[in-house]
């Protein structure tokens, strides 16, 4: 079976975890502190980073740290993992689905504009398949109406935006380091921002709201007498997960080269087939997934054809406005996108011959059709 996605791990990660286990301090301590410093150095000197247990909790606490909650609304493109919607809903705020552009799968700014009300406090653009889409338009809209931008950059760690690392510019940028993302901690996430008040807030929120517990833990101490003023969570990152992340971060350049060259090979091999590719600049993006667009009639047939030849594929994502938990919305592009998208295998262990096999099977499918 050619897998859709997979973590890319080596002896370095095994050794790093062993080191933490032998040291015996498994919770949030020195490894997390170092990982945060290394992420800051990687992203930008004037950006602060807080590491947390998942990308979902990074999004949730970013929303909470902006003072957004019950009675407020956050606009999100309907095409995203349910994590983005649940993260907003967990704060008590209402996730409001907007439509996406068919060419990128990212926020359609005109659609987002129509969703603005007096309760809108933020927009959460998603870097779909690592592309930025019309992020500039999103920021212009947010500036015009005075609300926050919380980027779901779960797909795009390691890439650049306008020549600088994703996370270096913008309001609040959230990453995921779950098992299949561009780098992994096993499970993990991070918030990057220049807004020091937001980072300070998240440092407390991730430790049950215990004020200034982060500083104490990094100094090898612990709080016995402390203050709590708002709802916090057990969302901190552990030293074990941070140790994996630190090794993965050292390998980001190699991972990026592999992912980009595999996508370029896909592009080259699919060129004369009735398959459309998204409008993503791979000089900047480090691709997390490789979606292709076919007709709505062919999509399920192609998926099954590939599966029968040992090739796993995915569908990213079911529009969130169709889920019972969330508000209904009119997002025709999202429905069309969902019905015509198919994600091909892409990960750091995938070989050139695997891509050639996948594309050969796709060619065979269209020859038969
Ligand atoms: C992976 C992902 C998340 C959530 O990250 P976790 O670390 O799995 O909680 C959020 N949004 C998108 C688009 C994702 O792909």
């Amino acid at each position: 079976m050619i897998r859709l996605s997979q973590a890319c791990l080596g002896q370095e990660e095994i050794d790093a975890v062993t080191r933490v286990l032998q040291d015996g301090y498994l919770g949030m301590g020195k490894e997390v502190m170092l990982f945060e410093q290394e992420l800051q150095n990687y992203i930008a000197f004037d950006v602060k980073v807080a590491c947390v247990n998942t990308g979902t909790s990074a999004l949730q606490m970013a929303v909470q740290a902006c003072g957004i909650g019950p009675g407020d609304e956050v606009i999100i493109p309907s095409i995203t993992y349910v994590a983005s919607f649940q993260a907003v809903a967990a704060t008590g705020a209402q996730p409001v689905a907007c439509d996406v552009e068919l060419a990128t799968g990212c926020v359609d700014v005109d659609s987002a504009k129509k969703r603005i009300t007096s309760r809108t406090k933020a927009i959460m653009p998603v870097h779909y398949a690592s592309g930025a889409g019309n992020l500039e338009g999103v920021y212009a809209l947010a500036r015009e109406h005075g609300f926050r931008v919380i980027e779901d950059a779960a797909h795009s760690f390691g890439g650049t935006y306008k020549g600088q690392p994703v996370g270096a510019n913008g309001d609040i940028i959230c990453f995921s380091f779950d098992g299949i993302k561009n780098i992994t901690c096993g499970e993990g996430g991070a918030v990057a921002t220049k807004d020091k008040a937001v980072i300070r807030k998240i440092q407390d929120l991730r430790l049950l709201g215990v004020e200034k517990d982060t500083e104490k833990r990094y100094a090898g101490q612990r709080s016995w007498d402390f203050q709590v003023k708002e709802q916090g969570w057990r969302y901190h990152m552990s030293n074990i997960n941070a140790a994996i992340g630190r090794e993965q971060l050292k390998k980001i350049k190699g991972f990026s080269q592999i992912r980009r060259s595999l996508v370029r090979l896909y592009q080259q091999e699919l060129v004369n087939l009735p398959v459309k590719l998204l409008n993503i600049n791979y000089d900047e993006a480090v691709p997390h997934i490789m979606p292709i667009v076919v007709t709505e009639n062919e999509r399920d047939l192609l998926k099954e054809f590939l599966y029968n030849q040992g090739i796993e594929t995915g569908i990213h994502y079911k529009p969130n406005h169709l889920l019972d938990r969330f508000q209904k919305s009119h997002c025709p592009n999202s429905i069309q996108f969902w019905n015509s998208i198919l994600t091909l295998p892409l990960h750091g262990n995938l070989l050139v011959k695997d891509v050639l096999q996948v594309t050969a099977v796709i060619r065979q499918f269209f020859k038969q059709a």
Side-chain angles (χ1 to χ4, degrees):
M1 199 80 192
I2 298 181
R3 299 249 314 257
L4 175 61
S5 48
Q6 198 173 62
C8 199
L9 301 162
Q11 191 59 43
E12 299 80 7
E13 286 81 359
I14 295 170
D15 291 344
V17 169
T18 304
R19 176 162 47 75
V20 173
L21 294 177
Q22 283 169 343
D23 172 65
Y25 189 89
L26 311 186
M28 192 182 107
K30 200 182 87 192
E31 292 288 332
V32 179
M33 182 183 79
L34 292 170
F35 188 37
E36 286 176 346
Q37 288 170 359
E38 288 156 7
L39 286 167
Q40 279 166 204
N41 291 341
Y42 176 79
I43 294 170
F45 71 95
D46 57 345
V47 160
K48 291 271 173 262
V49 173
C51 283
V52 297
N53 62 337
T54 67
T56 307
S57 63
L59 293 166
Q60 181 188 330
M61 289 190 288
V63 173
Q64 189 182 349
C66 291
I68 298 168
D72 298 330
E73 294 175 355
V74 178
I75 299 170
I76 319 178
S78 194
I79 296 292
T80 180
Y81 190 38
V82 66
S84 326
F85 274 68
Q86 287 286 39
V88 170
T91 68
Q94 180 73 248
V96 175
C98 75
D99 214 350
V100 299
E101 305 172 329
L102 287 171
T104 65
C106 292
V107 170
D108 176 336
V109 175
D110 286 332
S111 169
K113 200 172 193 166
K114 291 187 191 130
R115 304 298 192 271
I116 296 172
T117 72
S118 59
R119 295 178 294 280
T120 305
K121 292 289 156 59
I123 185 165
M124 186 178 282
V126 177
H127 294 228
Y128 181 83
S130 314
N134 184 10
L135 198 53
E136 215 160 317
V138 168
Y139 272 96
L141 193 67
R143 262 196 308 276
E144 188 187 332
H145 294 270
F147 52 71
R148 306 287 307 237
V149 180
I150 299 165
E151 298 181 32
D152 181 340
H155 289 191
S156 60
F157 186 83
T160 62
Y161 175 64
K162 295 185 174 174
Q164 283 180 291
V166 174
N169 286 302
D171 189 4
I172 304 176
I173 296 89
C174 298
F175 296 107
S176 164
F177 306 133
D178 77 18
I180 55 163
K181 293 290 164 40
N182 285 354
I183 65 168
T184 185
C185 290
E187 297 287 355
V191 179
T193 180
K194 289 175 186 160
D195 186 335
K196 293 200 180 78
V198 163
I199 285 293
R200 271 198 295 273
K201 194 86 176 265
I202 290 171
Q203 286 175 340
D204 293 346
L205 292 177
R206 66 182 170 180
L207 291 163
L208 292 168
V210 174
E211 292 188 342
K212 302 204 164 64
D213 206 21
T214 289
E215 292 92 315
K216 288 194 187 128
R217 282 167 181 254
Y218 288 172
Q221 294 159 2
R222 170 170 181 185
S223 307
W224 297 106
D225 181 9
F226 52 79
Q227 188 55 266
V228 171
K229 292 192 188 124
E230 73 172 290
Q231 178 66 57
W233 316 93
R234 286 284 285 177
Y235 285 172
H236 60 279
M237 180 179 277
S238 84
N239 272 350
I240 299 175
N241 296 108
I244 299 171
R246 293 182 67 201
E247 295 305 322
Q248 291 267 300
L249 183 58
K250 289 182 201 162
K251 302 179 181 180
I252 184 67
K253 228 177 174 173
F255 289 164
S256 304
Q257 273 165 3
I258 291 170
R259 285 177 176 274
R260 283 175 170 149
S261 68
L262 291 171
V263 161
R264 294 218 157 91
L265 185 59
Y266 269 127
Q267 288 176 319
Q268 197 181 305
E269 292 296 315
L270 294 170
V271 79
N272 285 321
L273 292 173
V275 165
K276 277 190 283 184
L277 302 177
L278 296 180
N279 183 11
I280 295 172
N281 175 3
Y282 292 109
D283 292 331
E284 295 229 88
V286 172
H288 162 54
I289 54 173
M290 177 63 205
I292 62 169
V293 182
V294 295
T295 67
E296 298 189 19
N297 295 330
E298 282 162 343
R299 200 275 308 277
D300 288 344
L301 295 171
L302 176 57
K303 189 172 198 313
E304 188 175 309
F305 192 81
L306 285 159
Y307 184 81
N308 290 336
Q309 309 249 8
I311 297 161
E312 191 187 10
T313 56
I315 298 169
H316 295 88
Y317 297 94
K318 180 167 182 178
N320 282 267
H321 73 281
L322 300 182
L323 303 176
D324 285 343
R325 174 154 166 70
F326 305 118
Q327 264 181 0
K328 300 291 156 272
S329 187
H330 181 64
C331 304
N333 283 357
S334 299
I335 305 282
Q336 187 185 330
F337 195 82
W338 174 46
N339 286 326
S340 53
I341 206 90
L342 186 67
T343 306
L344 304 179
L346 182 66
H347 53 79
N349 300 320
L350 197 71
L351 303 172
V352 165
K353 76 168 173 59
D354 296 329
V355 172
L356 294 177
Q357 190 185 332
V358 172
T359 53
V361 172
I362 295 173
R363 212 168 293 126
Q364 200 186 330
F365 172 84
F366 284 110
K367 215 171 266 172
Q368 285 191 344

